[in-house]
Amino acid sequence: MVPSKVSEVKLTYANKVKACDRVKIKWSKDAAILFKESWDYDTIDAFETFKAMYLNRANQVLGIVTISTGGIAAALADPTKVFCGAIKCLAAGIILCHNHPSGSLMPSDVDKKLTERMKHAGEILGITILDHVIISREGYRSMTDQGEL
């Protein structure tokens, strides 16, 4: 018997960019530039924000989403929220990004463990974590470029 009151679940993705106009990510620098363009520079030195960039199989950007905003030392990065967005837009890859208000570009042990957790979740879902970029006002660091992913 089916319950008479059941909530409807909708998975939607509003694609507003034609395929031929999508930005293609070739290098970590390309991703860092796009992430920085999406950042609120009034807060980059104040508190951590965690974002995800979703890409198709051709490494074209499908979108960027803010996953969370936290305090001066951390922003919660819930894998469920990260992969929900990826599934909605049928992403093949994800580039993770967060800022360090301290200005340091070195990944913490927590950053490394989180990246491994996301990578493992992606392997189960068939969605590749391509990079985890740490940004600050001064620059960026790619965990892939540094052999940390």
Side-chain angles (χ1 to χ4, degrees):
M1 176 172 240
V2 177
S4 60
K5 292 186 179 184
V6 177
S7 296
E8 179 181 1
V9 176
K10 284 188 177 183
L11 298 178
T12 61
Y13 162 63
N15 181 10
K16 297 180 181 181
V17 179
K18 295 188 298 186
C20 63
D21 292 333
R22 290 183 187 143
V23 175
K24 185 169 184 165
I25 301 297
K26 296 178 185 172
W27 312 102
S28 61
K29 184 176 183 179
D30 299 335
I33 289 168
L34 282 180
F35 277 122
K36 281 191 167 193
E37 288 174 359
S38 77
W39 227 269
D40 178 356
Y41 261 72
D42 291 336
T43 64
I44 198 164
D45 296 328
F47 50 81
E48 279 199 18
T49 300
F50 194 96
K51 297 187 180 205
M53 178 185 295
Y54 302 119
L55 296 98
N56 64 17
R57 294 207 179 280
N59 282 350
Q60 293 173 309
V61 178
L62 299 171
I64 296 175
V65 66
T66 299
I67 301 300
S68 69
T69 299
I72 60 169
L76 179 65
D78 183 354
T80 302
K81 197 169 177 183
V82 170
F83 286 97
C84 178
I87 291 166
K88 280 184 179 183
C89 66
L90 301 176
I94 301 172
I95 299 176
L96 306 170
C97 183
H98 76 284
N99 65 308
H100 280 174
S102 68
S104 169
L105 296 174
M106 294 300 294
S108 67
D109 288 340
V110 172
D111 294 340
K112 292 174 185 177
K113 287 176 186 172
L114 172 67
T115 304
E116 279 303 311
R117 185 172 174 217
M118 293 285 188
K119 183 178 172 185
H120 179 67
E123 288 168 353
I124 292 168
L125 294 169
I127 301 171
T128 305
I129 298 296
L130 300 167
D131 203 346
H132 187 161
V133 177
I134 299 170
I135 67 169
S136 73
R137 190 176 296 275
E138 290 78 32
Y140 77 96
R141 178 187 179 99
S142 159
M143 291 179 77
T144 296
D145 290 355
Q146 298 301 317
E148 299 163 336
L149 182 67

